[in-house]
Amino acid sequence: MSKVQAIGGHAARPGGQTPPADSARAIRGALLGRSLVLVGMMGSGKTSIGQRLAQRLGLPFKDADAEIVAAAAGMSIPDIFAKYGEAHFRDCERRVIARLLAGEPCVLATGGGAFMDETTRNRVKERGVSLWFDAAHDVLLRRVRRKGDRPLLQTSDPAAVLRRLMDERYPVYRQADIAVLSRDVAHEVMVEETIAALLAWAHGAPESATTRGFDRFMTSRTPPAPVEPQTVEVGLGGRAYDIIIGAGLLEQAGEHLARIAPGAACAVVTDANVARLQLPVLRQSLEKSGIRTVSIVVEPGEASKSFPVFQRVCEEILEARIERRDVVLALGGGVVGDLAGFAAASVRRGSRFVQVPTTLLAQVDSSVGGKTGINTPQGKNLVGAFYQPALVLADVDALATLPLREFRAGYAEVVKYGLIDDAFFFEWLENNASAVFADRAARVEAISVSCRSKAKIVARDETEQGDRALLNLGHTFGHALERLVHYDGERLVHGEGVAIGLVCAFRFSARLGLCSQQDAERVGRHLTRVGLPTRIRDISGWRDDADAMLDAMFQDKKVEKGALTFILARGIGRSFVEKGIDVDQLRSFLKDEIARE
């Protein structure tokens, strides 16, 4: 499924400024005589957008519900439900859709429950291309309340019924070939964004090839439009520094280093994967600015955050004659950043340090705030130092080379910031997740908001004596999971552990009566939607029990006097630090979570 969604009313436009007639011709050609079948919840815009879309594509528009009403001699859908029941209606729906798909190619709008029928779904796969209009709960609720003619919502609590229907239907809707986020914008904007998504699918999926879930990002094959960089300041008095977020920053790195450290030499610490993909561009930029450069390459993965590798990196920095006023530069993800930062803090009792994170997780989390360190057999990051960088350069173009799994893992940390104290940001992510996966401007926005959120907390509590612990929302669970799989990246990467941990934190909060079950479900639904794991059983080969989880948790850095400290939530955007969690309550919760299917 190829999801393309932009913010600010600007759709991603694969194919550049393609003339409308050529766009329609390209999309019709990719359909190969099949119908475009619109699926989604009631109120998602299948009819209103579909009619305009059909006109733009030069195809007839058909509405399955209208055809059912016509076949029932004008009886309304609510009347059919009331007189004959839902089973009768679904049978009519199945037959009507089969008939329409057997006819001429068209844009076909289906009812909210039609795609749930396996027979209909199979017929759509044979004779059509499915497009899901995804929409957030509050958007749908506002729309359907305007009409009040939805039979399934004729209850005392339509909001709860709508959520239940979304929980049931969204896993099936995700099987659609294409998805577009339906937002509260002008219909013409939605049509443009839908055409952009169809063009991306047409250019990247000729004939039967499709993309599933959020399994393609940076879908445009034309040179991307320029994006304005954003700068976030981490306010730490005399040690304040900037985080610059934008595109093309690797090519500009030499200029930035020359500005903050004129005349300095530079030791670049990176891993073998990043060295192959990103190091040549960085070295060229540094050398162009006259900066003497040495590269130190380690193996990818958590195993490099160890005493032996730390020793080797420190020794190579010293052998390169890097002095205090020179620069140790971390080029890579969180592992490289933590390792290089700890080395920079240690060599000559502190050398200048610059972060150039190349993963989403590192750009929004590990590169900001000065935490550095290595792992030990007793746990993760138990040896290290707080050591602030002099500069962070977050180049969103570097993310284009990431495997999708790593990008998704980083997205879990982005979501975390909305859950800590910014419910508006979480709602923005619900409405714009596909844009973050597909569009550079959306990425700059999401990373900037995340960095700003972290910078604000770090400025208040640099060394995690109070509020900074909020940044560990989901991490007590996540770190325990990582420890129990022995940091095996094949089974679980850090961001996936965080995703499971975030959902566990909200479910545990709901168990304790602190937040609603609906909030916990909302968090889980959003993370599931982008393809992240949300249950402990999602981890391949999981065999550990609740006591093993507890033992791993007691190795957490936030344990004080033998008592566990957790980050819990009173709701989305309302997290808080809770010390002294009841172990029996936690053990009972973990047993239930491990058993959850």
Side-chain angles (χ1 to χ4, degrees):
M1 188 190 329
S2 174
K3 290 194 172 191
V4 178
Q5 167 64 37
I7 59 173
H10 298 291
R13 291 178 179 268
Q17 300 299 319
T18 310
D22 289 349
S23 300
R25 189 159 46 247
I27 293 167
R28 288 198 307 269
L31 288 171
L32 296 172
R34 297 169 290 179
S35 291
L36 181 63
V37 182
L38 309 182
V39 303
M41 289 292 294
M42 59 189 87
S44 61
K46 298 185 297 288
T47 300
S48 56
I49 300 169
Q51 289 173 332
R52 293 167 174 81
L53 181 63
Q55 186 176 15
R56 288 284 299 275
L57 296 180
L59 293 171
F61 177 77
K62 304 286 185 181
D63 188 307
D65 282 355
E67 296 282 334
I68 294 168
V69 168
M75 286 181 66
S76 68
I77 301 293
D79 288 343
I80 297 172
F81 263 76
K83 186 171 183 178
Y84 299 110
E86 184 176 358
H88 173 82
F89 173 80
R90 296 302 176 198
D91 184 57
C92 294
E93 183 176 55
R94 193 180 302 114
R95 288 185 278 109
V96 163
I97 290 174
R99 172 173 58 81
L100 293 171
L101 286 173
E104 63 178 336
C106 65
V107 174
L108 172 58
T110 63
F115 204 60
M116 302 299 292
D117 182 85
E118 187 176 4
T119 301
T120 296
R121 231 170 25 250
N122 289 335
R123 191 164 280 121
V124 170
K125 288 177 184 177
E126 294 167 4
R127 300 300 304 267
V129 172
S130 49
L131 187 152
W132 172 30
F133 282 127
D134 184 6
H137 178 269
D138 57 334
V139 172
L140 293 172
L141 193 60
R142 280 196 300 270
R143 292 175 181 174
V144 297
R145 275 177 168 164
R146 293 173 196 154
K147 294 187 176 182
D149 61 348
R150 309 290 178 165
L152 295 179
L153 296 185
Q154 301 308 307
T155 70
S156 59
D157 192 355
V161 173
L162 184 61
R163 274 207 189 279
R164 177 179 58 77
L165 288 171
M166 291 171 71
D167 288 342
E168 293 171 358
R169 293 177 178 180
Y170 272 39
V172 178
Y173 289 158
R174 277 194 287 272
Q175 297 178 35
D177 298 315
I178 307 161
V180 175
L181 199 64
S182 180
R183 304 184 294 133
D184 275 342
V185 294
H187 287 133
E188 290 73 20
V189 174
M190 283 308 311
V191 171
E192 289 294 333
E193 293 181 355
T194 304
I195 287 174
L198 285 165
L199 279 170
W201 168 80
H203 291 168
E207 211 152 335
S208 61
T210 60
T211 52
R212 302 289 177 190
F214 283 68
D215 55 359
R216 288 184 71 193
F217 54 99
M218 297 300 285
T219 53
S220 176
R221 297 189 173 199
T222 58
V227 293
E228 284 295 318
Q230 295 195 34
T231 299
V232 175
E233 182 184 6
V234 182
L236 292 170
R239 291 174 298 109
Y241 58 93
D242 287 340
I243 308 162
I244 303 174
I245 305 116
L249 295 179
L250 278 173
E251 290 97 337
Q252 303 165 21
E255 300 171 24
H256 287 291
L257 258 67
R259 172 174 54 82
I260 67 164
C266 180
V268 178
V269 182
T270 189
D271 70 40
N273 289 340
V274 178
R276 186 178 69 257
L277 296 168
Q278 315 286 1
L279 183 57
V281 175
L282 177 67
R283 283 191 66 101
Q284 183 178 21
S285 176
L286 296 175
E287 290 166 2
K288 183 179 177 182
S289 294
I291 298 172
R292 179 174 68 85
T293 304
V294 62
S295 300
I296 302 168
V297 181
V298 302
E299 289 301 309
E302 285 283 337
S304 285
K305 284 178 59 171
S306 65
F307 279 112
V309 178
F310 170 70
Q311 178 181 345
R312 176 170 75 83
V313 169
C314 289
E315 289 175 351
E316 291 193 31
I317 290 172
L318 291 169
E319 287 171 5
R321 300 182 182 274
I322 297 298
E323 301 175 357
R324 280 186 174 182
R325 299 194 63 79
D326 291 329
V327 174
V328 175
L329 185 150
L331 175 69
V335 167
V336 166
D338 286 356
L339 174 66
F342 190 28
S346 305
V347 169
R348 305 190 191 280
R349 296 181 181 173
S351 301
R352 194 150 20 193
F353 179 44
V354 168
Q355 287 263 25
V356 183
T358 60
T359 67
L360 180 59
L361 192 150
Q363 289 185 359
V364 301
D365 185 57
S366 60
S367 68
V368 180
K371 277 190 179 181
T372 71
I374 57 176
N375 302 332
T376 69
Q378 290 73 31
K380 188 169 181 176
N381 298 325
L382 293 180
V383 175
F386 288 95
Y387 193 68
Q388 300 295 340
L391 176 69
V392 179
L393 298 176
D395 188 342
V396 295
D397 286 348
L399 305 180
T401 62
L402 276 185
L404 176 67
R405 185 185 183 194
E406 293 293 335
F407 190 88
R408 280 185 174 131
Y411 184 80
E413 292 281 2
V414 175
V415 171
K416 178 189 75 176
Y417 292 107
L419 298 178
I420 290 173
D421 63 358
D422 194 343
F424 177 81
F425 182 48
F426 181 75
E427 183 179 359
W428 184 89
L429 290 170
E430 287 182 305
N431 290 327
N432 293 280
S434 47
V436 177
F437 277 70
D439 180 74
R440 291 199 309 173
R443 290 182 186 184
V444 169
E445 181 68 17
I447 294 166
S448 297
V449 173
S450 300
C451 290
R452 198 169 289 115
S453 176
K454 183 163 187 178
K456 182 174 60 177
I457 293 173
V458 169
R460 293 200 304 263
D461 178 20
E462 182 179 1
T463 58
E464 201 170 85
Q465 303 302 309
D467 281 359
R468 183 164 177 166
L470 290 169
L471 296 169
N472 288 299
L473 176 64
H475 285 58
T476 301
F477 291 101
H479 283 164
L481 297 173
E482 286 183 274
R483 184 164 184 259
L484 289 173
V485 301
H486 307 289
Y487 306 104
D488 181 352
E490 292 295 319
R491 296 177 64 193
L492 186 76
V493 296
H494 175 68
E496 292 170 341
V498 170
I500 297 171
L502 291 173
V503 177
C504 284
F506 270 79
R507 286 181 183 148
F508 188 41
S509 297
R511 171 81 69 95
L512 297 176
L514 297 169
C515 76
S516 70
Q517 191 62 42
Q518 287 84 355
D519 279 343
E521 290 170 358
R522 187 177 165 195
V523 174
R525 184 167 55 247
H526 182 62
L527 293 169
T528 298
R529 177 185 160 210
V530 302
L532 283 162
T534 57
R535 304 168 304 174
I536 294 172
R537 286 286 180 190
D538 289 338
I539 301 171
S540 173
W542 181 266
R543 293 184 180 86
D544 290 292
D545 60 14
D547 286 327
M549 281 282 292
L550 276 172
D551 183 64
M553 287 177 171
F554 273 104
Q555 291 289 347
D556 191 273
K557 297 183 298 299
K558 297 180 293 302
V559 170
E560 291 185 16
K561 298 180 181 178
L564 287 171
T565 298
F566 266 73
I567 314 304
L568 300 177
R570 296 188 178 91
I572 288 171
R574 299 172 59 204
S575 296
F576 67 99
V577 181
E578 179 69 12
K579 298 187 177 183
I581 292 294
D582 184 277
V583 174
D584 289 334
Q585 284 183 314
L586 179 57
R587 180 183 288 107
S588 174
F589 171 75
L590 290 171
K591 286 180 179 178
D592 291 344
E593 282 300 302
I594 290 170
R596 182 186 288 270
E597 296 294 337

